[in-house]
PDB file of all heavy atoms in Angstrom:
ATOM      1  N   GLU P 278      -0.907   9.164  -4.097  1.00 87.00           N
ATOM      2  CA  GLU P 278      -0.004  10.257  -4.448  1.00 87.00           C
ATOM      3  C   GLU P 278       0.850   9.897  -5.660  1.00 87.00           C
ATOM      4  O   GLU P 278       1.064  10.721  -6.551  1.00 87.00           O
ATOM      5  CB  GLU P 278       0.894  10.600  -3.253  1.00 87.00           C
ATOM      6  CG  GLU P 278       1.732  11.855  -3.469  1.00 87.00           C
ATOM      7  CD  GLU P 278       2.512  12.275  -2.239  1.00 87.00           C
ATOM      8  OE1 GLU P 278       2.182  11.792  -1.131  1.00 87.00           O
ATOM      9  OE2 GLU P 278       3.438  13.090  -2.374  1.00 87.00           O
ATOM     10  N   LEU P 279       1.320   8.647  -5.712  1.00 91.00           N
ATOM     11  CA  LEU P 279       2.097   8.193  -6.869  1.00 91.00           C
ATOM     12  C   LEU P 279       1.248   8.205  -8.131  1.00 91.00           C
ATOM     13  O   LEU P 279       1.731   8.529  -9.218  1.00 91.00           O
ATOM     14  CB  LEU P 279       2.642   6.783  -6.613  1.00 91.00           C
ATOM     15  CG  LEU P 279       3.664   6.616  -5.493  1.00 91.00           C
ATOM     16  CD1 LEU P 279       4.026   5.145  -5.323  1.00 91.00           C
ATOM     17  CD2 LEU P 279       4.914   7.450  -5.770  1.00 91.00           C
ATOM     18  N   LEU P 280      -0.021   7.851  -7.979  1.00 93.00           N
ATOM     19  CA  LEU P 280      -0.945   7.834  -9.110  1.00 93.00           C
ATOM     20  C   LEU P 280      -1.083   9.237  -9.708  1.00 93.00           C
ATOM     21  O   LEU P 280      -0.983   9.426 -10.930  1.00 93.00           O
ATOM     22  CB  LEU P 280      -2.307   7.325  -8.630  1.00 93.00           C
ATOM     23  CG  LEU P 280      -3.246   6.697  -9.650  1.00 93.00           C
ATOM     24  CD1 LEU P 280      -2.683   5.375 -10.153  1.00 93.00           C
ATOM     25  CD2 LEU P 280      -4.613   6.452  -9.014  1.00 93.00           C
ATOM     26  N   PHE P 281      -1.289  10.225  -8.844  1.00 93.00           N
ATOM     27  CA  PHE P 281      -1.427  11.605  -9.304  1.00 93.00           C
ATOM     28  C   PHE P 281      -0.117  12.133  -9.884  1.00 93.00           C
ATOM     29  O   PHE P 281      -0.118  12.838 -10.898  1.00 93.00           O
ATOM     30  CB  PHE P 281      -1.897  12.505  -8.158  1.00 93.00           C
ATOM     31  CG  PHE P 281      -3.349  12.359  -7.825  1.00 93.00           C
ATOM     32  CD1 PHE P 281      -3.750  11.774  -6.633  1.00 93.00           C
ATOM     33  CD2 PHE P 281      -4.322  12.794  -8.708  1.00 93.00           C
ATOM     34  CE1 PHE P 281      -5.094  11.629  -6.327  1.00 93.00           C
ATOM     35  CE2 PHE P 281      -5.674  12.665  -8.407  1.00 93.00           C
ATOM     36  CZ  PHE P 281      -6.057  12.074  -7.215  1.00 93.00           C
ATOM     37  N   ASP P 282       0.987  11.807  -9.250  1.00 94.00           N
ATOM     38  CA  ASP P 282       2.290  12.273  -9.746  1.00 94.00           C
ATOM     39  C   ASP P 282       2.583  11.724 -11.134  1.00 94.00           C
ATOM     40  O   ASP P 282       3.047  12.456 -12.018  1.00 94.00           O
ATOM     41  CB  ASP P 282       3.414  11.848  -8.790  1.00 94.00           C
ATOM     42  CG  ASP P 282       3.461  12.690  -7.526  1.00 94.00           C
ATOM     43  OD1 ASP P 282       2.810  13.753  -7.497  1.00 94.00           O
ATOM     44  OD2 ASP P 282       4.142  12.284  -6.573  1.00 94.00           O
ATOM     45  N   LEU P 283       2.316  10.443 -11.324  1.00 96.00           N
ATOM     46  CA  LEU P 283       2.565   9.827 -12.633  1.00 96.00           C
ATOM     47  C   LEU P 283       1.679  10.450 -13.693  1.00 96.00           C
ATOM     48  O   LEU P 283       2.140  10.770 -14.804  1.00 96.00           O
ATOM     49  CB  LEU P 283       2.328   8.318 -12.553  1.00 96.00           C
ATOM     50  CG  LEU P 283       2.551   7.538 -13.852  1.00 96.00           C
ATOM     51  CD1 LEU P 283       3.972   7.739 -14.367  1.00 96.00           C
ATOM     52  CD2 LEU P 283       2.269   6.047 -13.632  1.00 96.00           C
ATOM     53  N   CYS P 284       0.405  10.650 -13.366  1.00 96.00           N
ATOM     54  CA  CYS P 284      -0.521  11.273 -14.313  1.00 96.00           C
ATOM     55  C   CYS P 284      -0.051  12.677 -14.687  1.00 96.00           C
ATOM     56  O   CYS P 284      -0.016  13.040 -15.869  1.00 96.00           O
ATOM     57  CB  CYS P 284      -1.918  11.319 -13.711  1.00 96.00           C
ATOM     58  SG  CYS P 284      -3.157  12.038 -14.810  1.00 96.00           S
ATOM     59  N   LYS P 285       0.321  13.460 -13.693  1.00 95.00           N
ATOM     60  CA  LYS P 285       0.771  14.836 -13.932  1.00 95.00           C
ATOM     61  C   LYS P 285       2.040  14.859 -14.783  1.00 95.00           C
ATOM     62  O   LYS P 285       2.157  15.651 -15.724  1.00 95.00           O
ATOM     63  CB  LYS P 285       1.006  15.543 -12.602  1.00 95.00           C
ATOM     64  CG  LYS P 285       1.428  16.998 -12.711  1.00 95.00           C
ATOM     65  CD  LYS P 285       1.409  17.643 -11.331  1.00 95.00           C
ATOM     66  CE  LYS P 285       1.926  19.079 -11.378  1.00 95.00           C
ATOM     67  NZ  LYS P 285       3.386  19.138 -11.535  1.00 95.00           N
ATOM     68  N   ASN P 286       2.990  13.986 -14.481  1.00 96.00           N
ATOM     69  CA  ASN P 286       4.243  13.953 -15.243  1.00 96.00           C
ATOM     70  C   ASN P 286       3.999  13.609 -16.708  1.00 96.00           C
ATOM     71  O   ASN P 286       4.574  14.234 -17.613  1.00 96.00           O
ATOM     72  CB  ASN P 286       5.200  12.930 -14.629  1.00 96.00           C
ATOM     73  CG  ASN P 286       5.777  13.392 -13.307  1.00 96.00           C
ATOM     74  OD1 ASN P 286       5.843  14.591 -13.034  1.00 96.00           O
ATOM     75  ND2 ASN P 286       6.183  12.446 -12.474  1.00 96.00           N
ATOM     76  N   VAL P 287       3.137  12.612 -16.944  1.00 97.00           N
ATOM     77  CA  VAL P 287       2.833  12.192 -18.314  1.00 97.00           C
ATOM     78  C   VAL P 287       2.144  13.316 -19.075  1.00 97.00           C
ATOM     79  O   VAL P 287       2.533  13.651 -20.210  1.00 97.00           O
ATOM     80  CB  VAL P 287       1.954  10.928 -18.312  1.00 97.00           C
ATOM     81  CG1 VAL P 287       1.403  10.656 -19.718  1.00 97.00           C
ATOM     82  CG2 VAL P 287       2.749   9.730 -17.820  1.00 97.00           C
ATOM     83  N   MET P 288       1.136  13.929 -18.464  1.00 97.00           N
ATOM     84  CA  MET P 288       0.360  14.940 -19.187  1.00 97.00           C
ATOM     85  C   MET P 288       1.132  16.253 -19.350  1.00 97.00           C
ATOM     86  O   MET P 288       0.881  16.995 -20.303  1.00 97.00           O
ATOM     87  CB  MET P 288      -0.978  15.179 -18.486  1.00 97.00           C
ATOM     88  CG  MET P 288      -1.900  13.949 -18.472  1.00 97.00           C
ATOM     89  SD  MET P 288      -2.054  13.093 -20.082  1.00 97.00           S
ATOM     90  CE  MET P 288      -2.748  14.401 -21.094  1.00 97.00           C
ATOM     91  N   GLU P 289       2.050  16.552 -18.447  1.00 96.00           N
ATOM     92  CA  GLU P 289       2.900  17.740 -18.648  1.00 96.00           C
ATOM     93  C   GLU P 289       3.824  17.542 -19.833  1.00 96.00           C
ATOM     94  O   GLU P 289       4.122  18.493 -20.561  1.00 96.00           O
ATOM     95  CB  GLU P 289       3.704  18.029 -17.378  1.00 96.00           C
ATOM     96  CG  GLU P 289       2.899  18.713 -16.289  1.00 96.00           C
ATOM     97  CD  GLU P 289       3.727  19.059 -15.068  1.00 96.00           C
ATOM     98  OE1 GLU P 289       4.798  18.434 -14.869  1.00 96.00           O
ATOM     99  OE2 GLU P 289       3.294  19.933 -14.300  1.00 96.00           O
ATOM    100  N   LEU P 290       4.283  16.316 -20.041  1.00 96.00           N
ATOM    101  CA  LEU P 290       5.132  16.044 -21.199  1.00 96.00           C
ATOM    102  C   LEU P 290       4.305  16.045 -22.484  1.00 96.00           C
ATOM    103  O   LEU P 290       4.786  16.473 -23.546  1.00 96.00           O
ATOM    104  CB  LEU P 290       5.829  14.692 -21.022  1.00 96.00           C
ATOM    105  CG  LEU P 290       6.930  14.374 -22.032  1.00 96.00           C
ATOM    106  CD1 LEU P 290       8.040  15.418 -22.000  1.00 96.00           C
ATOM    107  CD2 LEU P 290       7.517  12.988 -21.760  1.00 96.00           C
ATOM    108  N   LEU P 291       3.066  15.599 -22.375  1.00 96.00           N
ATOM    109  CA  LEU P 291       2.161  15.572 -23.534  1.00 96.00           C
ATOM    110  C   LEU P 291       1.213  16.767 -23.478  1.00 96.00           C
ATOM    111  O   LEU P 291       0.008  16.648 -23.705  1.00 96.00           O
ATOM    112  CB  LEU P 291       1.363  14.267 -23.542  1.00 96.00           C
ATOM    113  CG  LEU P 291       2.178  12.971 -23.545  1.00 96.00           C
ATOM    114  CD1 LEU P 291       1.261  11.751 -23.482  1.00 96.00           C
ATOM    115  CD2 LEU P 291       3.071  12.886 -24.785  1.00 96.00           C
ATOM    116  N   ILE P 292       1.767  17.928 -23.183  1.00 95.00           N
ATOM    117  CA  ILE P 292       0.976  19.123 -22.867  1.00 95.00           C
ATOM    118  C   ILE P 292       0.087  19.573 -24.024  1.00 95.00           C
ATOM    119  O   ILE P 292      -0.914  20.268 -23.808  1.00 95.00           O
ATOM    120  CB  ILE P 292       1.902  20.275 -22.423  1.00 95.00           C
ATOM    121  CG1 ILE P 292       1.119  21.368 -21.696  1.00 95.00           C
ATOM    122  CG2 ILE P 292       2.700  20.803 -23.605  1.00 95.00           C
ATOM    123  CD1 ILE P 292       0.570  20.970 -20.364  1.00 95.00           C
ATOM    124  N   HIS P 293       0.424  19.183 -25.253  1.00 94.00           N
ATOM    125  CA  HIS P 293      -0.377  19.619 -26.411  1.00 94.00           C
ATOM    126  C   HIS P 293      -1.450  18.592 -26.797  1.00 94.00           C
ATOM    127  O   HIS P 293      -2.151  18.775 -27.804  1.00 94.00           O
ATOM    128  CB  HIS P 293       0.533  19.900 -27.602  1.00 94.00           C
ATOM    129  CG  HIS P 293       1.521  21.007 -27.357  1.00 94.00           C
ATOM    130  ND1 HIS P 293       1.123  22.306 -27.120  1.00 94.00           N
ATOM    131  CD2 HIS P 293       2.881  20.991 -27.277  1.00 94.00           C
ATOM    132  CE1 HIS P 293       2.189  23.063 -26.921  1.00 94.00           C
ATOM    133  NE2 HIS P 293       3.265  22.294 -27.006  1.00 94.00           N
ATOM    134  N   THR P 294      -1.597  17.558 -26.007  1.00 96.00           N
ATOM    135  CA  THR P 294      -2.632  16.554 -26.272  1.00 96.00           C
ATOM    136  C   THR P 294      -4.019  17.154 -26.044  1.00 96.00           C
ATOM    137  O   THR P 294      -4.272  17.740 -24.990  1.00 96.00           O
ATOM    138  CB  THR P 294      -2.455  15.337 -25.341  1.00 96.00           C
ATOM    139  OG1 THR P 294      -1.168  14.760 -25.577  1.00 96.00           O
ATOM    140  CG2 THR P 294      -3.543  14.306 -25.589  1.00 96.00           C
ATOM    141  N   PRO P 295      -4.927  17.032 -27.012  1.00 97.00           N
ATOM    142  CA  PRO P 295      -6.301  17.522 -26.799  1.00 97.00           C
ATOM    143  C   PRO P 295      -7.006  16.680 -25.726  1.00 97.00           C
ATOM    144  O   PRO P 295      -7.067  15.456 -25.843  1.00 97.00           O
ATOM    145  CB  PRO P 295      -6.964  17.336 -28.175  1.00 97.00           C
ATOM    146  CG  PRO P 295      -5.837  17.168 -29.148  1.00 97.00           C
ATOM    147  CD  PRO P 295      -4.727  16.515 -28.383  1.00 97.00           C
ATOM    148  N   VAL P 296      -7.499  17.331 -24.694  1.00 97.00           N
ATOM    149  CA  VAL P 296      -8.253  16.631 -23.641  1.00 97.00           C
ATOM    150  C   VAL P 296      -9.539  17.389 -23.383  1.00 97.00           C
ATOM    151  O   VAL P 296      -9.584  18.612 -23.464  1.00 97.00           O
ATOM    152  CB  VAL P 296      -7.434  16.490 -22.341  1.00 97.00           C
ATOM    153  CG1 VAL P 296      -6.247  15.554 -22.546  1.00 97.00           C
ATOM    154  CG2 VAL P 296      -6.954  17.842 -21.840  1.00 97.00           C
ATOM    155  N   THR P 297     -10.608  16.666 -23.055  1.00 97.00           N
ATOM    156  CA  THR P 297     -11.911  17.308 -22.881  1.00 97.00           C
ATOM    157  C   THR P 297     -12.569  17.023 -21.535  1.00 97.00           C
ATOM    158  O   THR P 297     -13.357  17.820 -21.043  1.00 97.00           O
ATOM    159  CB  THR P 297     -12.884  16.856 -23.982  1.00 97.00           C
ATOM    160  OG1 THR P 297     -13.011  15.421 -23.942  1.00 97.00           O
ATOM    161  CG2 THR P 297     -12.374  17.282 -25.361  1.00 97.00           C
ATOM    162  N   LYS P 298     -12.243  15.874 -20.932  1.00 98.00           N
ATOM    163  CA  LYS P 298     -12.915  15.499 -19.680  1.00 98.00           C
ATOM    164  C   LYS P 298     -11.921  14.810 -18.749  1.00 98.00           C
ATOM    165  O   LYS P 298     -10.991  14.140 -19.198  1.00 98.00           O
ATOM    166  CB  LYS P 298     -14.097  14.561 -19.937  1.00 98.00           C
ATOM    167  CG  LYS P 298     -15.149  15.124 -20.892  1.00 98.00           C
ATOM    168  CD  LYS P 298     -16.258  14.099 -21.130  1.00 98.00           C
ATOM    169  CE  LYS P 298     -17.195  14.542 -22.248  1.00 98.00           C
ATOM    170  NZ  LYS P 298     -17.889  15.782 -21.923  1.00 98.00           N
ATOM    171  N   LEU P 299     -12.178  14.973 -17.459  1.00 97.00           N
ATOM    172  CA  LEU P 299     -11.377  14.316 -16.435  1.00 97.00           C
ATOM    173  C   LEU P 299     -12.303  13.743 -15.373  1.00 97.00           C
ATOM    174  O   LEU P 299     -13.243  14.421 -14.922  1.00 97.00           O
ATOM    175  CB  LEU P 299     -10.408  15.314 -15.788  1.00 97.00           C
ATOM    176  CG  LEU P 299      -9.751  14.894 -14.458  1.00 97.00           C
ATOM    177  CD1 LEU P 299      -8.786  13.732 -14.684  1.00 97.00           C
ATOM    178  CD2 LEU P 299      -9.042  16.075 -13.817  1.00 97.00           C
ATOM    179  N   GLY P 300     -12.039  12.515 -14.959  1.00 97.00           N
ATOM    180  CA  GLY P 300     -12.767  11.921 -13.851  1.00 97.00           C
ATOM    181  C   GLY P 300     -11.791  11.401 -12.807  1.00 97.00           C
ATOM    182  O   GLY P 300     -10.874  10.649 -13.138  1.00 97.00           O
ATOM    183  N   VAL P 301     -11.951  11.861 -11.577  1.00 95.00           N
ATOM    184  CA  VAL P 301     -11.158  11.337 -10.465  1.00 95.00           C
ATOM    185  C   VAL P 301     -12.108  10.496  -9.623  1.00 95.00           C
ATOM    186  O   VAL P 301     -13.035  11.032  -9.009  1.00 95.00           O
ATOM    187  CB  VAL P 301     -10.521  12.467  -9.632  1.00 95.00           C
ATOM    188  CG1 VAL P 301      -9.711  11.871  -8.477  1.00 95.00           C
ATOM    189  CG2 VAL P 301      -9.638  13.354 -10.511  1.00 95.00           C
ATOM    190  N   ASN P 302     -11.900   9.204  -9.646  1.00 95.00           N
ATOM    191  CA  ASN P 302     -12.870   8.277  -9.076  1.00 95.00           C
ATOM    192  C   ASN P 302     -12.293   7.542  -7.863  1.00 95.00           C
ATOM    193  O   ASN P 302     -11.102   7.214  -7.832  1.00 95.00           O
ATOM    194  CB  ASN P 302     -13.290   7.254 -10.126  1.00 95.00           C
ATOM    195  CG  ASN P 302     -13.719   7.911 -11.418  1.00 95.00           C
ATOM    196  OD1 ASN P 302     -14.529   8.831 -11.417  1.00 95.00           O
ATOM    197  ND2 ASN P 302     -13.152   7.458 -12.536  1.00 95.00           N
ATOM    198  N   GLN P 303     -13.154   7.299  -6.899  1.00 94.00           N
ATOM    199  CA  GLN P 303     -12.742   6.547  -5.714  1.00 94.00           C
ATOM    200  C   GLN P 303     -13.870   5.623  -5.283  1.00 94.00           C
ATOM    201  O   GLN P 303     -15.050   5.959  -5.422  1.00 94.00           O
ATOM    202  CB  GLN P 303     -12.371   7.483  -4.568  1.00 94.00           C
ATOM    203  CG  GLN P 303     -11.817   6.767  -3.337  1.00 94.00           C
ATOM    204  CD  GLN P 303     -11.283   7.728  -2.288  1.00 94.00           C
ATOM    205  OE1 GLN P 303     -10.821   8.829  -2.600  1.00 94.00           O
ATOM    206  NE2 GLN P 303     -11.336   7.327  -1.030  1.00 94.00           N
ATOM    207  N   GLN P 304     -13.487   4.476  -4.766  1.00 94.00           N
ATOM    208  CA  GLN P 304     -14.466   3.507  -4.270  1.00 94.00           C
ATOM    209  C   GLN P 304     -14.004   2.990  -2.913  1.00 94.00           C
ATOM    210  O   GLN P 304     -12.872   2.519  -2.780  1.00 94.00           O
ATOM    211  CB  GLN P 304     -14.614   2.348  -5.251  1.00 94.00           C
ATOM    212  CG  GLN P 304     -15.716   1.373  -4.902  1.00 94.00           C
ATOM    213  CD  GLN P 304     -15.853   0.276  -5.938  1.00 94.00           C
ATOM    214  OE1 GLN P 304     -15.191  -0.758  -5.847  1.00 94.00           O
ATOM    215  NE2 GLN P 304     -16.702   0.501  -6.934  1.00 94.00           N
ATOM    216  N   ASN P 305     -14.856   3.117  -1.915  1.00 94.00           N
ATOM    217  CA  ASN P 305     -14.583   2.617  -0.568  1.00 94.00           C
ATOM    218  C   ASN P 305     -15.596   1.544  -0.208  1.00 94.00           C
ATOM    219  O   ASN P 305     -16.796   1.755  -0.364  1.00 94.00           O
ATOM    220  CB  ASN P 305     -14.687   3.745   0.476  1.00 94.00           C
ATOM    221  CG  ASN P 305     -13.544   4.724   0.407  1.00 94.00           C
ATOM    222  OD1 ASN P 305     -12.653   4.613  -0.439  1.00 94.00           O
ATOM    223  ND2 ASN P 305     -13.548   5.695   1.302  1.00 94.00           N
ATOM    224  N   THR P 306     -15.121   0.424   0.275  1.00 94.00           N
ATOM    225  CA  THR P 306     -16.000  -0.637   0.763  1.00 94.00           C
ATOM    226  C   THR P 306     -15.837  -0.755   2.275  1.00 94.00           C
ATOM    227  O   THR P 306     -14.715  -0.866   2.775  1.00 94.00           O
ATOM    228  CB  THR P 306     -15.684  -1.976   0.087  1.00 94.00           C
ATOM    229  OG1 THR P 306     -15.925  -1.864  -1.325  1.00 94.00           O
ATOM    230  CG2 THR P 306     -16.564  -3.091   0.647  1.00 94.00           C
ATOM    231  N   TYR P 307     -16.972  -0.714   2.974  1.00 92.00           N
ATOM    232  CA  TYR P 307     -16.961  -0.753   4.436  1.00 92.00           C
ATOM    233  C   TYR P 307     -17.618  -2.046   4.915  1.00 92.00           C
ATOM    234  O   TYR P 307     -18.593  -2.514   4.328  1.00 92.00           O
ATOM    235  CB  TYR P 307     -17.739   0.425   5.022  1.00 92.00           C
ATOM    236  CG  TYR P 307     -17.095   1.775   4.780  1.00 92.00           C
ATOM    237  CD1 TYR P 307     -17.291   2.450   3.580  1.00 92.00           C
ATOM    238  CD2 TYR P 307     -16.307   2.379   5.760  1.00 92.00           C
ATOM    239  CE1 TYR P 307     -16.711   3.687   3.356  1.00 92.00           C
ATOM    240  CE2 TYR P 307     -15.732   3.621   5.546  1.00 92.00           C
ATOM    241  CZ  TYR P 307     -15.934   4.266   4.338  1.00 92.00           C
ATOM    242  OH  TYR P 307     -15.354   5.495   4.118  1.00 92.00           O
ATOM    243  N   SER P 308     -17.075  -2.586   6.001  1.00 90.00           N
ATOM    244  CA  SER P 308     -17.653  -3.765   6.631  1.00 90.00           C
ATOM    245  C   SER P 308     -18.551  -3.330   7.784  1.00 90.00           C
ATOM    246  O   SER P 308     -18.107  -2.629   8.697  1.00 90.00           O
ATOM    247  CB  SER P 308     -16.538  -4.684   7.149  1.00 90.00           C
ATOM    248  OG  SER P 308     -17.078  -5.790   7.824  1.00 90.00           O
ATOM    249  N   LEU P 309     -19.830  -3.739   7.735  1.00 88.00           N
ATOM    250  CA  LEU P 309     -20.765  -3.456   8.820  1.00 88.00           C
ATOM    251  C   LEU P 309     -20.851  -4.667   9.746  1.00 88.00           C
ATOM    252  O   LEU P 309     -20.255  -5.715   9.482  1.00 88.00           O
ATOM    253  CB  LEU P 309     -22.133  -3.100   8.247  1.00 88.00           C
ATOM    254  CG  LEU P 309     -22.143  -1.921   7.260  1.00 88.00           C
ATOM    255  CD1 LEU P 309     -23.555  -1.613   6.812  1.00 88.00           C
ATOM    256  CD2 LEU P 309     -21.494  -0.692   7.849  1.00 88.00           C
ATOM    257  N   ASN P 310     -21.575  -4.533  10.822  1.00 86.00           N
ATOM    258  CA  ASN P 310     -21.618  -5.604  11.823  1.00 86.00           C
ATOM    259  C   ASN P 310     -22.338  -6.852  11.321  1.00 86.00           C
ATOM    260  O   ASN P 310     -21.968  -7.972  11.646  1.00 86.00           O
ATOM    261  CB  ASN P 310     -22.286  -5.110  13.102  1.00 86.00           C
ATOM    262  CG  ASN P 310     -21.438  -4.067  13.814  1.00 86.00           C
ATOM    263  OD1 ASN P 310     -20.211  -4.145  13.803  1.00 86.00           O
ATOM    264  ND2 ASN P 310     -22.086  -3.080  14.419  1.00 86.00           N
ATOM    265  N   ASN P 311     -23.373  -6.641  10.505  1.00 87.00           N
ATOM    266  CA  ASN P 311     -24.145  -7.779  10.008  1.00 87.00           C
ATOM    267  C   ASN P 311     -24.999  -7.323   8.838  1.00 87.00           C
ATOM    268  O   ASN P 311     -25.073  -6.123   8.520  1.00 87.00           O
ATOM    269  CB  ASN P 311     -25.018  -8.374  11.112  1.00 87.00           C
ATOM    270  CG  ASN P 311     -25.785  -7.307  11.871  1.00 87.00           C
ATOM    271  OD1 ASN P 311     -26.537  -6.541  11.286  1.00 87.00           O
ATOM    272  ND2 ASN P 311     -25.580  -7.248  13.186  1.00 87.00           N
ATOM    273  N   VAL P 312     -25.668  -8.270   8.188  1.00 86.00           N
ATOM    274  CA  VAL P 312     -26.477  -7.943   7.021  1.00 86.00           C
ATOM    275  C   VAL P 312     -27.692  -7.110   7.411  1.00 86.00           C
ATOM    276  O   VAL P 312     -28.175  -6.281   6.611  1.00 86.00           O
ATOM    277  CB  VAL P 312     -26.893  -9.235   6.277  1.00 86.00           C
ATOM    278  CG1 VAL P 312     -27.866 -10.053   7.115  1.00 86.00           C
ATOM    279  CG2 VAL P 312     -27.474  -8.920   4.917  1.00 86.00           C
ATOM    280  N   GLU P 313     -28.189  -7.282   8.627  1.00 86.00           N
ATOM    281  CA  GLU P 313     -29.331  -6.482   9.085  1.00 86.00           C
ATOM    282  C   GLU P 313     -28.958  -5.001   9.146  1.00 86.00           C
ATOM    283  O   GLU P 313     -29.764  -4.128   8.799  1.00 86.00           O
ATOM    284  CB  GLU P 313     -29.800  -6.960  10.458  1.00 86.00           C
ATOM    285  CG  GLU P 313     -30.530  -8.298  10.467  1.00 86.00           C
ATOM    286  CD  GLU P 313     -29.602  -9.481  10.313  1.00 86.00           C
ATOM    287  OE1 GLU P 313     -28.384  -9.304  10.566  1.00 86.00           O
ATOM    288  OE2 GLU P 313     -30.065 -10.572   9.938  1.00 86.00           O
ATOM    289  N   GLU P 314     -27.745  -4.720   9.578  1.00 87.00           N
ATOM    290  CA  GLU P 314     -27.291  -3.332   9.634  1.00 87.00           C
ATOM    291  C   GLU P 314     -27.154  -2.746   8.233  1.00 87.00           C
ATOM    292  O   GLU P 314     -27.495  -1.594   7.999  1.00 87.00           O
ATOM    293  CB  GLU P 314     -25.959  -3.256  10.373  1.00 87.00           C
ATOM    294  CG  GLU P 314     -25.576  -1.841  10.786  1.00 87.00           C
ATOM    295  CD  GLU P 314     -24.378  -1.817  11.710  1.00 87.00           C
ATOM    296  OE1 GLU P 314     -23.274  -2.180  11.261  1.00 87.00           O
ATOM    297  OE2 GLU P 314     -24.550  -1.433  12.883  1.00 87.00           O
ATOM    298  N   ARG P 315     -26.673  -3.567   7.299  1.00 87.00           N
ATOM    299  CA  ARG P 315     -26.586  -3.116   5.911  1.00 87.00           C
ATOM    300  C   ARG P 315     -27.971  -2.812   5.354  1.00 87.00           C
ATOM    301  O   ARG P 315     -28.191  -1.801   4.685  1.00 87.00           O
ATOM    302  CB  ARG P 315     -25.900  -4.181   5.057  1.00 87.00           C
ATOM    303  CG  ARG P 315     -25.576  -3.709   3.633  1.00 87.00           C
ATOM    304  CD  ARG P 315     -25.472  -4.872   2.687  1.00 87.00           C
ATOM    305  NE  ARG P 315     -26.760  -5.511   2.472  1.00 87.00           N
ATOM    306  CZ  ARG P 315     -26.936  -6.593   1.742  1.00 87.00           C
ATOM    307  NH1 ARG P 315     -25.908  -7.198   1.181  1.00 87.00           N
ATOM    308  NH2 ARG P 315     -28.152  -7.109   1.575  1.00 87.00           N
TER     309      ARG P 315
END
């Protein structure tokens, strides 16, 4: 939430900045029981 708030605050102040693309990325790593299950 802090990440999004900071991004929004910065870009609202720089509202005239030319922007063309946005990527919202997430990575989750899960632990399985063993390598056979993986």
Side-chain angles (χ1 to χ4, degrees):
E278 188 174 344
L279 295 176
L280 204 68
F281 284 111
D282 284 346
L283 180 58
C284 181
K285 182 171 176 286
N286 288 336
V287 168
M288 296 313 299
E289 282 183 338
L290 190 59
L291 303 177
I292 197 68
H293 298 296
T294 300
V296 293
T297 58
K298 303 178 189 297
L299 165 68
V301 180
N302 309 310
Q303 185 172 331
Q304 186 178 88
N305 288 2
T306 297
Y307 293 83
S308 177
L309 303 183
N310 292 325
N311 47 57
V312 68
E313 287 76 19
E314 194 171 66
R315 189 205 68 184

